[in-house]
């Protein structure tokens, strides 16, 4: 039981409205929570810290179901810890989203007939800041609608002054430690966004292209190469074959003619080539393919760039000025005219990389860029998980993490944008290169210029767990709230964000991990398991559902589907069901308040309680223990399911119903049960609060007179268990369930009253006769009672007078038909399970299914036989 329930005075009960209307409660209640400072964490507190930093949504973004899903779970974790006595900090903020935000403003300019170059860099960046102030951050208001219990006083932005200082600080440290360098390498280039993008910002999909086989050289000194990108042959500087491939031994080292050009290129031997794939000969274009680039470095081949930043051909007269895709078909046509096309395959399905933001086909391109040398950083990030300092949940997701950090390539961090953290490198007139830290003055004088590129957005968001707490300064917040406790995020950004934070956190914080647990979730999908997308009609705005059914209903639906690491299906019917649950909680609490439920005074001694009272308290404590265990294991779906069934089934459908006769009778037992019901509701509302905060706070403050559940006490398992009471009420439930089933099978309406004789003496059921009659609509026997159906159940007998309510002969005929069908099903299942040849060949799941059919048939036979035995002879 909870101490608060015993200590708090009972306020005068304010009658609740007959219906719960979320719109009349949620907004006002949330603003009260914020005004009272319930979510503001105190770095000077003696309480143990609990910290979660929110994955910063893009400044361009709005709340989608994925956000709502993860925010619900983070909010639940934080609210529970706050109730458990922790100094809980859930820190909010936004990411400047370099490419996405710049694109937004450039689209605005295009509508005005301008480009960023018309404004110039300084004025364009000012324009982006104006856009951010006017349009950015819509999602922050939407987070309030969802009920996010974040500390708004600590809200951060990846380009605010403090975070910008952190970016400059870590860049300089990495640069001086030779972990940042500048080099010309093959990068992923987006001709639409006009910037480099990292490997993890490339989305691959199967596209229908063409595979053409081209003959290079003449006569015996010729060979055939196949390519899906014929236009890049204009930049070929070699053909490569495997050194052991006997077919090409006579050509290794020779020069052959490159079609459509006046150049000859060498045939080189390289072990990268697979002699079993295709013709065993590959074209080498070092400036436009990452593997070719490495071959070129090994053989000292020149790199010829044949396209500009827009993907337009820049060489060879006939093709000059053509878009890359136009050039592809034009080059193939020219090769056909020369008889160089040996074979064509169209359509040819192959994996093609696309920019994750604008979906443009990515172009591999040789470019001078800034890089992070990730080797030592990635090793530290892997070691922190391997040695247990950081735990990944669910554990089987660790493999994905290790696959990435153990095989990570150096990270291209420069972007050819104007919006973002500008790279703090200055170049001098005589080739000087100077890295300038946050408190240093840049070099001045004629000929000094700053690097024009900005840093990848993930560079600044990789600092998020410590930069938001004031690093590089040693602030009170940093000392109190770092390391953070849990990073809860989707498994889809292990590579984008999780690994970056691990690398930078361990590096900047002297080996301290950025978080103790990585709790990975799946992705939200529609009710049929399909990915939600704006291009599909299945995308849902969660705000629409919040308007219709309340934020609690959306939150509970999302939590109820949250199995660790697994995708989450969600449909509107499920949100409606959750709305019904919040209504049920409201109505049951309203009933309880009207019938004497109270938290005043201590709980009565168990000896004063009925078996029903002791049963519900025993089940309550079992549920508290279960919910705690599920929270600690991040099993949100299981804890939501446990709470749903305890609240709806056990408290509202059984305890309240079983206690109605007590409440209606009044007296001392009604007082005792009223205190028990008050306790059960108090604890149940506390348990539900982290997931559905609005309705629970509104009800709890009315029930207890307490200030708010946000700062209420999390319930503890008192250890009270009463197995005898649990067994006793299970008997009552069996009687009620079996008789209800019989009534339904006989076609009786739910409210139809039936005369009955209950033979309960000598069983634990006797004290519950009044409640059983109430639940089953059973009248006393009365004069002229004739038992036409007798049901033996749970050691007792229920005799019903069904005369005048059913056609006994017709009912016997129907049941006999059902019994024959069940016996036939049993015989068929037994025949298959008795067939050794079948069992030897059938898969385990098929055999298990047949065993299930047999068990179901046995159950049906027993049930139907009881019904037949209970009917009078025709």
């Amino acid at each position: 039981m909870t101490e608060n329930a015993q200590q708090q005075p009972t306020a005068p009960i304010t009658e609740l409205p007959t219906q719960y209307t979320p719109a009349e409660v949620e907004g006002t209640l949330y603003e009260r929570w914020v005004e009272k400072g319930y979510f503001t964490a105190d770095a000077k507190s003696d309480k143990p810290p609990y910290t979660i930093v929110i994955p910063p949504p893009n400044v361009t973004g709005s709340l989608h179901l994925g956000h709502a899903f993860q925010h619900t779970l983070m909010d639940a974790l934080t609210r529970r810890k706050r109730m458990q006595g922790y100094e809980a900090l859930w820190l909010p903020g936004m990411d400047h989203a370099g490419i996405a935000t710049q694109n937004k403003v450039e689209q605005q300019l295009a509508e005005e007939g301008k480009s960023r170059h018309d404004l110039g860099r300084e004025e364009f960046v000012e324009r982006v800041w104006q856009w951010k102030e006017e349009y950015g951050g819509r999602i922050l208001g939407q987070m309030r609608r969802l009920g996010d219990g974040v500390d708004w006083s600590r809200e951060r932005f990846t380009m605010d002054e403090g975070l910008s200082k952190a970016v400059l600080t870590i860049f300089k440290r990495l640069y001086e430690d030779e972990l940042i360098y500048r080099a010309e390498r093959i990068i992923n280039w987006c001709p639409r966004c006009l910037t480099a993008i990292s490997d993890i910002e490339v989305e691959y999909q199967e596209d229908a292209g063409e595979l053409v086989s081209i003959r290079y050289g003449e006569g015996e000194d010729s060979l055939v190469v196949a390519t899906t990108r014929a236009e890049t042959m204009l930049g070929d500087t070699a053909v490569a074959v495997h050194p052991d491939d006997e077919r090409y031994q006579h050509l290794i080292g020779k020069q052959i003619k490159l079609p459509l050009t006046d150049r000859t290129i060498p045939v080189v031997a390289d072990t990268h080539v697979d002699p079993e794939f295709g013709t065993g000969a590959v074209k080498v274009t070092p400036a436009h393919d990452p593997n070719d680039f490495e071959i070129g470095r090994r053989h000292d081949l020149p790199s010829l760039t044949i396209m500009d930043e827009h993907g337009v051909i820049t060489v060879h007269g006939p093709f000059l000025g053509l878009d890359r895709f136009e050039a592809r078909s034009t080059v193939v046509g020219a090769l056909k005219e020369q008889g160089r096309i040996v074979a064509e395959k169209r359509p040819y399905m192959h994996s093609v990389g696309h920019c994750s933001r604008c979906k443009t086909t990515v172009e591999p391109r040789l470019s001078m860029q800034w890089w992070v040398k990730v080797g030592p950083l990635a090793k530290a990030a892997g070691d922190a998980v391997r040695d247990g300092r950081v735990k990944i949940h669910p554990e089987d997701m660790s493999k994905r993490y290790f696959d990435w950090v153990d095989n990570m390539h150096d990270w291209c961090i420069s972007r050819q944008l104007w919006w973002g953290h500008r790279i703090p490198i200055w170049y001098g007139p005589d080739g000087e290169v100077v890295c300038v830290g946050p408190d240093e003055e840049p070099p001045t004088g004629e000929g000094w210029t700053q690097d024009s590129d900005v840093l990848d957005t993930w560079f600044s968001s990789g600092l998020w767990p410590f930069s938001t707490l004031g690093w590089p300064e040693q602030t009170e917040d940093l000392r109190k709230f770092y390391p953070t406790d849990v990073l809860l995020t989707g498994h889809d950004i292990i590579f984008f964000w999780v690994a970056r934070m691990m690398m930078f956190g361990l590096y900047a914080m002297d080996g301290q991990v950025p978080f103790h647990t990585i709790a990975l979730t799946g992705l939200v999908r529609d009710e049929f398991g399909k990915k939600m997308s704006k291009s599909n009609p299945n995308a849902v705005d969660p705000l629409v559902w919040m308007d219709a059914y309340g934020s609690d209903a959306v939150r509970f639906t999302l939590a109820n589907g949250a199995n660790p690491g697994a995708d989450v299906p969600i449909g509107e019917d499920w949100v409606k069901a959750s709305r019904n649950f919040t209504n049920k909680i409201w109505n049951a609490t309203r009933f309880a308040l009207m019938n004497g439920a109270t938290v005043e005074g201590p709980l009565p001694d168990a000896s004063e309680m009925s078996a029903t009272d002791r049963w519900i308290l025993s089940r309550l404590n079992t549920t508290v223990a279960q919910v705690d265990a599920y929270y600690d294991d991040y099993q949100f779906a299981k804890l939501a399911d446990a709470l749903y069934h305890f609240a709806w089934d056990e408290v509202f459908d059984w305890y309240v119903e079983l206690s109605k006769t007590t409440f209606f009778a009044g007296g001392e037992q009604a007082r005792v049960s009223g205190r028990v019901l008050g306790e059960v509701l108090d604890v149940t509302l506390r348990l539900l609060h982290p997931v559905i905060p609005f309705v629970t706070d509104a009800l709890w403050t009315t029930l207890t007179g307490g200030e708010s559940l946000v700062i209420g006490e999390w319930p503890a398992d008192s250890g009270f268990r009463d197995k005898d009471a649990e067994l006793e009420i299970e008997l009552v439930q069996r009687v009620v369930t079996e008789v209800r089933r019989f009534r339904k099978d006989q076609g009786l309406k739910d409210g139809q009253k039936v005369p009955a004789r209950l033979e309960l003496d000598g069983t634990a059921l006797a004290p519950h006769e009044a409640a059983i009659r109430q639940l089953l609509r059973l009248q006393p026997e009365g004069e002229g009672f004739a038992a036409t159906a007798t049901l033996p159940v749970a050691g007792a007998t229920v005799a019903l007078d069904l005369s005048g309510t059913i056609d006994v002969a017709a009912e016997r005929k129907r049941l006999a038909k059902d019994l024959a069908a069940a016996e036939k099903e049993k015989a068929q299942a037994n025949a298959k399970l008795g067939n050794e040849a079948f069992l030897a060949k059938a898969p385990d799941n098929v055999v298990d299914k047949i065993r299930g059919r047999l068990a179901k048939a046995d159950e049906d036979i027993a049930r139907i036989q009881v019904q037949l035995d209970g009917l009078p002879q025709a």
Side-chain angles (χ1 to χ4, degrees):
M1 307 309 106
T2 60
E3 293 178 10
N4 281 14
Q6 298 176 18
Q7 295 173 354
Q8 290 171 348
T10 302
I13 291 175
T14 303
E15 186 175 343
L16 292 167
T18 55
Q19 287 186 323
Y20 175 52
T21 307
E24 295 177 1
V25 172
E26 293 179 350
T28 303
L29 194 52
Y30 185 85
E31 292 310 315
R32 178 176 175 272
W33 293 338
V34 174
E35 288 168 10
K36 289 285 187 178
Y38 295 154
F39 305 139
T40 303
D42 182 4
K44 296 179 180 178
S45 166
D46 292 333
K47 297 178 182 178
Y50 182 82
T51 316
I52 296 180
V53 291
I54 205 166
N58 286 352
V59 67
T60 60
S62 59
L63 191 76
H64 56 65
L65 274 173
H67 290 130
F69 169 54
Q70 292 179 359
H71 287 207
T72 293
L73 305 188
M74 285 184 278
D75 195 29
L77 290 172
T78 311
R79 285 177 182 271
R80 172 177 174 255
K81 285 296 182 181
R82 188 180 290 114
M83 294 173 75
Q84 285 181 315
Y86 286 79
E87 195 61 46
L89 169 61
W90 186 21
L91 193 148
M94 291 187 299
D95 191 283
H96 66 278
I99 296 176
T101 308
Q102 179 157 320
N103 281 346
K104 288 277 188 185
V105 178
E106 288 198 89
Q107 287 168 10
Q108 277 190 347
L109 290 173
E111 292 171 4
E112 301 170 15
K114 298 177 183 178
S115 75
R116 60 177 162 140
H117 300 286
D118 294 323
L119 274 65
R121 183 169 194 141
E122 188 173 334
E123 188 177 342
F124 175 78
V125 170
E126 179 60 32
R127 178 75 175 256
V128 181
W129 277 107
Q130 291 173 6
W131 182 94
K132 185 256 181 189
E133 293 305 315
E134 187 173 356
Y135 299 105
R138 280 185 305 160
I139 193 170
L140 299 179
Q142 294 164 346
M143 287 162 56
R144 301 169 92 93
R145 281 288 313 278
L146 186 65
D148 282 7
V150 296
D151 185 347
W152 292 111
S153 71
R154 286 178 167 86
E155 180 190 333
R156 303 305 301 267
F157 179 56
T158 50
M159 283 185 63
D160 67 28
E161 184 178 350
L163 269 64
S164 295
K165 181 176 183 179
V167 168
L168 296 177
T169 300
I170 200 163
F171 186 98
K172 185 172 178 67
R173 291 189 188 179
L174 289 164
Y175 181 80
E176 291 180 344
D177 286 344
E178 298 183 349
L179 293 172
I180 284 183
Y181 64 95
R182 192 174 186 233
E184 191 174 46
R185 299 274 180 84
I186 292 286
I187 48 90
N188 303 295
W189 181 265
C190 176
R192 160 64 183 80
C193 298
L194 297 180
T195 183
I197 57 177
S198 65
D199 291 346
I200 53 179
E201 293 169 296
V202 178
E203 294 178 348
Y204 287 90
Q205 66 184 46
E206 290 294 308
D207 284 359
E210 61 178 351
L211 181 68
V212 294
S213 298
I214 310 167
R215 183 173 297 281
Y216 285 22
E218 305 293 342
E220 291 185 0
D221 291 347
S222 69
L223 38 67
V224 175
V225 299
T227 181
T228 57
R229 303 170 67 221
E231 72 282 3
T232 63
M233 67 160 292
L234 301 173
D236 285 358
T237 56
V239 173
V241 298
H242 194 277
D244 299 331
D245 194 332
E246 294 182 358
R247 294 171 293 178
Y248 303 117
Q249 290 298 310
H250 67 292
L251 287 177
I252 294 174
K254 285 189 176 183
Q255 296 281 326
I256 61 173
K257 182 76 166 59
L258 179 64
L260 305 182
T261 73
D262 57 2
R263 294 189 291 117
T264 60
I265 57 176
V267 177
V268 299
D270 196 283
T271 54
H272 172 76
V273 179
D274 180 0
E276 302 298 323
F277 183 78
T279 64
V282 298
K283 58 191 288 299
V284 181
T285 320
H288 293 278
D289 183 274
N291 293 322
D292 293 3
F293 177 77
E294 296 301 326
I295 293 175
R297 293 214 310 185
R298 287 194 290 270
H299 297 277
D300 199 23
L301 299 173
S303 296
L304 302 181
T305 299
I306 63 160
M307 292 181 212
D308 67 11
E309 60 185 7
H310 298 280
V312 173
I313 303 298
T314 58
V315 296
H316 295 292
F319 313 109
L320 185 65
L322 294 179
D323 172 81
R324 53 186 169 154
F325 300 118
E326 286 182 287
R328 184 170 301 170
S329 58
T330 306
V331 165
V332 171
L335 289 168
K336 283 182 179 177
E337 288 180 7
Q338 292 187 5
R340 293 282 178 177
I341 299 296
V342 176
E344 290 181 87
K345 186 175 182 180
R346 189 185 295 114
Y348 177 72
M349 301 303 296
H350 63 132
S351 182
V352 178
H354 296 261
C355 173
S356 61
R357 291 176 178 83
C358 70
K359 311 309 176 187
T360 300
T361 299
V362 167
E363 192 64 42
R365 187 169 187 254
L366 185 62
S367 180
M368 183 67 77
Q369 302 285 345
W370 285 93
W371 304 81
V372 171
K373 185 185 295 183
V374 299
L377 302 174
K379 182 181 184 303
D383 289 346
V385 175
R386 286 191 170 93
D387 63 24
R389 282 176 289 156
V390 176
K391 297 188 182 302
I392 293 180
H393 189 88
E395 191 175 352
D396 58 11
M397 284 282 179
S398 298
K399 183 180 184 301
R400 296 184 66 180
Y401 176 80
F402 291 131
D403 285 347
W404 178 249
V405 297
D406 293 347
N407 300 286
M408 196 183 296
H409 300 297
D410 283 0
W411 173 19
C412 177
I413 55 171
S414 46
R415 298 291 180 268
Q416 289 64 57
L417 304 171
W418 287 356
W419 172 246
H421 295 101
R422 195 166 175 181
I423 289 176
I425 295 289
W426 268 256
Y427 304 106
D430 299 317
E432 302 96 330
V433 179
V434 176
C435 181
V436 178
D439 300 317
E440 300 171 349
E441 291 295 325
T444 57
E446 188 177 347
W448 282 95
T449 59
Q450 185 178 358
D451 194 296
S452 60
D453 289 349
V454 301
L455 288 163
D456 178 9
T457 297
W458 296 102
F459 189 93
S460 51
S461 58
L463 315 180
W464 192 251
F466 52 94
S467 64
T468 52
L469 297 173
W471 186 91
E473 308 302 327
Q474 291 302 307
T475 63
E476 282 188 331
D477 276 2
L478 193 64
R479 286 191 291 271
K480 176 76 173 181
F481 296 112
Y482 189 91
T484 68
D485 287 87
V486 182
L487 171 70
L488 189 144
T489 190
H491 60 64
D492 56 323
I493 60 170
I494 291 178
F495 320 126
F496 288 94
W497 194 45
V498 178
R500 310 299 193 208
M501 287 189 289
M502 286 286 283
M503 292 192 301
F504 282 166
L506 290 160
Y507 173 80
M509 297 300 294
D510 300 320
Q512 273 193 304
V513 297
F515 23 74
H516 299 300
T517 301
I518 301 169
L520 296 172
T521 70
L523 308 179
V524 178
R525 296 183 177 272
D526 71 12
E527 59 194 300
F528 305 108
K530 293 181 180 178
K531 182 178 180 180
M532 286 191 175
S533 168
K534 290 180 180 178
S535 59
N536 293 332
N538 66 349
V540 175
D541 181 351
L543 295 170
V544 173
W545 282 352
M546 288 184 212
D547 289 341
Y549 309 112
S551 298
D552 282 335
V554 174
R555 290 171 61 114
F556 192 80
T557 306
L558 290 165
N560 207 25
N563 290 299
D567 288 348
V568 183
I570 184 171
E572 187 167 7
D573 285 346
W574 303 344
V575 183
K576 289 179 182 177
S578 295
R579 184 272 315 273
N580 295 343
F581 180 48
T582 61
N583 287 345
K584 183 80 170 180
I585 298 168
W586 183 273
N587 292 333
T589 305
R590 185 169 176 272
F591 168 85
L593 289 171
M594 291 190 298
N595 286 276
T598 179
V599 296
E600 186 176 5
L603 272 175
D605 188 78
S607 61
E608 301 176 58
M609 298 180 191
S610 67
T612 308
D613 294 334
R614 297 195 306 277
W615 163 74
I616 197 62
L617 289 175
S618 184
R619 292 296 306 132
L620 175 67
N621 280 286
T622 298
T623 302
V624 170
Q626 284 179 332
V627 169
D628 275 332
Y630 290 143
Y631 262 115
D632 293 341
D633 198 32
Y634 304 98
Q635 297 278 1
F636 296 98
K638 289 183 178 179
L639 72 89
D641 186 67
L643 286 170
Y644 177 90
H645 287 293
F646 174 71
W648 191 308
D649 298 344
E650 297 188 279
V651 179
F652 305 146
D653 278 359
W654 283 109
Y655 180 71
V656 169
E657 294 299 322
L658 286 170
S659 301
K660 277 183 177 178
T661 52
T662 300
F663 290 132
F664 295 161
E668 178 61 18
Q669 191 56 55
R671 185 196 67 77
V672 170
S673 292
R675 179 63 187 90
V676 170
L677 179 55
E679 179 75 8
V680 171
L681 284 174
D682 173 25
V683 174
T684 302
L685 292 170
R686 291 171 191 263
L687 290 173
L688 285 164
H689 176 73
V691 179
I692 47 175
F694 293 108
V695 68
T696 52
D697 198 42
L699 292 173
W700 185 84
T701 52
T702 303
L703 172 71
T704 68
E707 182 181 343
S708 174
L709 256 185
V710 180
I711 54 171
E713 182 183 344
W714 183 253
D717 175 7
S718 71
F720 178 84
R721 300 290 190 279
D722 192 324
K723 291 299 179 185
D724 290 339
E726 289 194 37
L727 290 172
E728 186 171 321
I729 301 305
E730 282 175 16
L731 292 177
V732 175
Q733 291 172 325
R734 279 179 57 194
V735 170
V736 173
T737 301
E738 287 297 325
V739 176
R740 277 178 175 168
R741 182 184 295 165
F742 180 80
R743 287 176 57 110
K744 184 177 180 181
D745 288 340
Q746 310 311 313
L748 297 177
K749 294 178 181 178
D750 290 343
Q752 187 172 350
K753 294 183 178 180
V754 177
R757 178 190 303 130
L758 273 60
E759 297 177 6
L760 308 177
D761 293 344
T763 73
L765 294 166
H768 305 283
E769 178 170 353
I772 292 171
R773 286 187 176 277
Q774 170 78 17
L775 288 169
L776 291 172
R777 306 291 189 269
L778 301 180
Q779 293 178 317
E781 300 172 41
E783 191 175 343
F785 175 83
T788 59
T790 304
L791 302 176
V793 57
T797 301
V798 179
L800 305 173
D801 184 353
L802 301 177
S803 56
T805 61
I806 62 171
D807 183 334
V808 176
E811 188 60 23
R812 277 194 169 278
K813 185 175 180 181
R814 182 184 71 81
L815 289 172
K817 183 178 178 181
D818 290 346
L819 182 61
E823 288 174 338
K824 181 179 179 182
E825 174 74 1
K826 177 178 180 178
Q828 289 175 341
N830 274 326
K832 286 191 175 182
L833 294 174
N835 186 332
E836 295 295 335
F838 169 77
L839 293 177
K841 294 179 181 179
D844 289 345
N845 65 317
V846 173
V847 175
D848 289 343
K849 188 174 180 181
I850 293 170
R851 287 189 178 123
R853 284 169 49 192
L854 176 60
K856 176 66 166 54
D858 281 334
E859 182 182 317
D860 288 344
I861 290 167
R863 176 178 56 81
I864 296 167
Q865 194 62 59
V866 168
Q867 293 175 38
L868 279 168
D869 292 344
L871 288 173
Q873 297 298 318

